Amino acid sequence: MADVQNYRIYINGEWTGESLEPIEVTNPATGEVIATVPRGGRSEAEQAVQAAYDAFKSWSSKTAGERSELLMKWSRLIDEHKEEIGELMTREQGKPLKEAIGEVDYANGFVSWYAEEAKRVYGETIPASHPNKRILVQKQPVGVVAAITPWNFPAAMITRKIGPALAAGCTAVVKPAEQTPLTALKLAELAEEAGIPKGVLNVITGKSREIGEAWQKDSRVRKLTFTGSTEVGKILMKGAADTVKKISLELGGHAPFIVMDDADLDKAVQNVVASKFRNAGQTCICTNRVYVHESIVEPFTEKLTAAVEKLKVGNGLEEGTDIGPLINEEAIEKVQEHIEDATQKGGKLATGGKRIDSGQGTFFEPTVLTDVSDDMLCMNEETFGPLMPVTTFKDEAEVIQRANNTPYGLAAYVFTENIGRAIRISEGLEYGIVGLNDGLPSVPQAPFGGFKESGLGREGGHYGIEEFLEVKYVSIAL
Ligand code: ADP
């Protein structure tokens, strides 16, 4: 408890909130309180919007080159501090340090990519049908952006929103998840150091529902961008309706991972392990269901079990750790519930299945279940933990139908060496992202987002900046 640091929130270029009640931030690997952050509410939410609103005029009037230069400075500072940010992230979130530093690089990719993209917000002229008219199309920033982010990627979920928002000329108010606010506050500190003007980026912590409601109701907030559960996404979507805000939602997923009989088995195993166990299975594009062609299920499961048994679970700060703790006790309970349900319905444990009782922290064994059927909870609900259910299929049409039989549509994976099949299956999948022989598809330059109840809008690439731009058509009569 000795070095618990009391953090402050960042509004209008000031570090404030010291008089607010503290929220404790704990290290999931040890259960220790490592810091506190202020429990902000409506008042802080409104102050932050006011600051962002006031800053919008001058920020949006800067040239794209000026905004780009400041974002590049921020990016350079993030790069210089990546070990420090990575360590902070591991302490508040749990993921292994190498993954945390990898996330900082990925997160920073959005800042540098959009610093470049700021200069490419092109408009258009359209040939008019009338000889004395000209049609000019301009893109303009939407205004104040509110961003609400989850705990599983404490840096990347912020920069994926704030990089394009600031590049487009918007200003922003951000509320990170209560479990992982420290990475967010560190990013804000570096933005300040980079010279991003006061009010352009504001980061507050606190009562999520109250802050969310204040931002939903505020007509000065013109865009709401959220990553998190489908349940909260629906609440925000309804709330945004009253003031007809633009909205982007990146919600839950239930990714199928399909292994055809002609797949390269070693490649498929290596990728499914990376896809499933990265961040201890706590990502929205994590594999949730593995469909293996019935003719290869035995060699596949054998190789898979051997690979999973090599994974080392432990404190993310320790060298050689592959899987850190889960975020909290509820996360452990959910994995246990899914395993109990599956084993009661005939599922068999190939490896794992239990909590690791080390006396501290929320660790769970990486688990593989076989003899799985489609009625099990784990085949329908996001486990958000290190549990991999494996089932079999007979043919292409069947597996596409079963893979699509979910309200979600974020990521899906297909492993095959047959090009015709690869194209047929990827076209048949109702998913926003398809990893074709690729278990790790997330990159800053590609559009990330889901079909169906997995969300609205896209983050990343040139698609991502469009979400923060309005289209203005100027009709000119000569
Ligand atoms: P998760 O299951 O990943 O924690 P949530 O959707 O609960 O997903 O949380 C994602 C983010 O949404 C967090 O920052 C959380 O504080 C915030 N949040 C949760 N409930 C609400 C709400 N009712 N209104 C606004 N934000 C919310």
Side-chain angles (χ1 to χ4, degrees):
M1 286 292 288
D3 58 348
V4 174
Q5 204 185 328
N6 301 313
Y7 282 72
R8 294 181 187 180
I9 51 182
Y10 186 59
I11 302 176
N12 204 24
E14 305 277 327
W15 292 93
T16 175
E18 55 276 27
S19 60
L20 294 165
E21 189 193 331
I23 308 178
E24 291 182 340
V25 180
T26 52
N27 179 342
T30 61
E32 277 171 354
V33 175
I34 53 169
T36 71
V37 294
R39 194 185 295 277
R42 182 173 314 280
S43 166
E44 289 68 31
E46 285 169 358
Q47 288 168 39
V49 172
Q50 186 65 48
Y53 189 74
D54 292 342
F56 177 70
K57 200 159 185 291
S58 60
W59 182 249
S60 58
S61 308
K62 284 191 185 298
T63 65
E66 286 167 333
R67 287 197 298 271
S68 173
E69 185 59 30
L70 288 168
L71 286 171
M72 274 302 186
K73 278 192 192 155
W74 189 25
S75 171
R76 281 193 290 273
L77 285 170
I78 295 171
D79 191 54
E80 283 166 22
H81 291 81
K82 71 178 176 186
E83 277 84 15
E84 181 193 341
I85 306 170
E87 199 178 313
L88 191 63
M89 190 192 296
T90 295
R91 291 178 70 226
E92 67 175 345
Q93 200 273 345
K95 65 179 68 181
L97 186 57
K98 64 184 177 213
E99 262 189 49
I101 294 172
E103 183 189 329
V104 179
D105 279 335
Y106 170 59
N108 202 4
F110 289 97
V111 180
S112 56
W113 202 88
Y114 283 108
E116 291 297 324
E117 195 65 3
K119 300 178 227 164
R120 287 186 277 273
V121 176
Y122 301 129
E124 199 180 8
T125 59
I126 298 174
S129 55
H130 193 288
N132 293 331
K133 286 212 175 185
R134 300 293 180 268
I135 295 171
L136 178 70
V137 180
Q138 291 177 313
K139 304 267 180 82
Q140 293 187 335
V142 291
V144 175
V145 172
I148 299 179
T149 58
W151 49 262
N152 60 346
F153 289 93
M157 295 306 99
I158 291 178
T159 57
R160 197 155 84 169
K161 296 168 168 36
I162 299 310
L166 267 50
C170 297
T171 54
V173 295
V174 180
K175 194 207 76 68
E178 44 278 34
Q179 297 89 341
T180 59
L182 309 183
T183 303
L185 293 167
K186 182 71 196 172
L187 290 173
E189 188 188 307
L190 296 175
E192 181 186 31
E193 198 179 325
I196 292 180
K198 69 173 189 166
V200 171
L201 173 64
N202 306 274
V203 180
I204 66 169
T205 53
K207 301 170 200 161
S208 53
R209 181 151 10 127
E210 196 175 306
I211 294 168
E213 278 172 7
W215 289 349
Q216 286 159 60
K217 289 199 180 112
D218 198 320
S219 57
R220 294 169 300 178
V221 174
R222 295 313 317 151
K223 164 90 193 183
L224 186 63
T225 172
F226 171 76
T227 298
S229 61
T230 297
E231 186 193 348
V232 174
K234 288 179 182 178
I235 296 174
L236 296 176
M237 193 173 174
K238 286 180 190 147
D242 282 345
T243 52
V244 193
K245 295 186 203 310
K246 274 178 167 271
I247 182 156
S248 296
L249 302 171
E250 204 271 276
L251 309 176
H254 204 274
F257 191 108
I258 301 169
V259 188
M260 301 305 291
D261 53 2
D262 56 46
D264 175 332
L265 278 198
D266 291 320
K267 194 157 75 179
V269 166
Q270 190 196 344
N271 278 273
V272 81
V273 169
S275 161
K276 174 74 256 184
F277 297 109
R278 187 170 63 116
N279 204 8
Q282 304 171 112
T283 91
C284 44
I285 61 163
C286 264
T287 293
N288 274 274
R289 300 167 272 158
V290 184
Y291 295 96
V292 186
H293 191 267
E294 59 179 9
S295 65
I296 52 161
V297 69
E298 276 169 34
F300 178 84
T301 314
E302 211 170 284
K303 281 175 190 279
L304 175 67
T305 308
V308 172
E309 284 173 351
K310 287 198 190 108
L311 297 171
K312 183 171 172 278
V313 182
N315 186 323
L317 292 176
E318 280 161 22
E319 187 72 29
T321 298
D322 297 304
I323 302 183
L326 298 192
I327 192 72
N328 53 27
E329 287 295 328
E330 291 89 86
I332 293 267
E333 281 162 22
K334 186 150 194 205
V335 182
Q336 281 169 335
E337 185 197 357
H338 281 194
I339 292 175
E340 263 165 45
D341 170 79
T343 48
Q344 271 165 22
K345 290 175 180 158
K348 299 207 168 53
L349 285 166
T351 184
K354 293 190 304 297
R355 181 184 189 142
I356 298 174
D357 199 3
S358 57
Q360 57 175 18
T362 39
F363 298 97
F364 205 93
E365 291 174 345
T367 301
V368 177
L369 269 174
T370 60
D371 299 271
V372 162
S373 54
D374 289 357
D375 62 336
M376 293 175 183
L377 279 181
C378 60
M379 294 297 275
N380 297 284
E381 287 179 13
E382 246 185 327
T383 308
F384 236 62
L387 166 63
M388 190 187 313
V390 180
T391 187
T392 58
F393 67 93
K394 285 186 171 38
D395 66 52
E396 217 175 284
E398 175 205 335
V399 78
I400 294 174
Q401 187 276 327
R402 285 169 68 196
N404 286 339
N405 189 21
T406 165
Y408 295 112
L410 189 55
Y413 305 91
V414 187
F415 278 67
T416 175
E417 296 295 306
N418 176 315
I419 189 156
R421 264 183 175 169
I423 292 171
R424 277 195 305 274
I425 299 175
S426 34
E427 287 182 358
L429 289 167
E430 296 162 357
Y431 286 81
I433 303 162
V434 175
L436 190 51
N437 294 328
D438 183 10
L440 299 171
S442 303
V443 285
Q445 63 275 20
F448 187 107
F451 285 16
K452 301 187 333 196
E453 292 187 26
S454 286
L456 288 176
R458 292 294 179 270
E459 295 186 323
H462 65 86
Y463 297 90
I465 200 164
E466 294 294 333
E467 305 279 339
F468 299 98
L469 294 166
E470 283 284 15
V471 172
K472 183 178 282 174
Y473 148 47
V474 183
S475 178
I476 306 166
L478 303 179

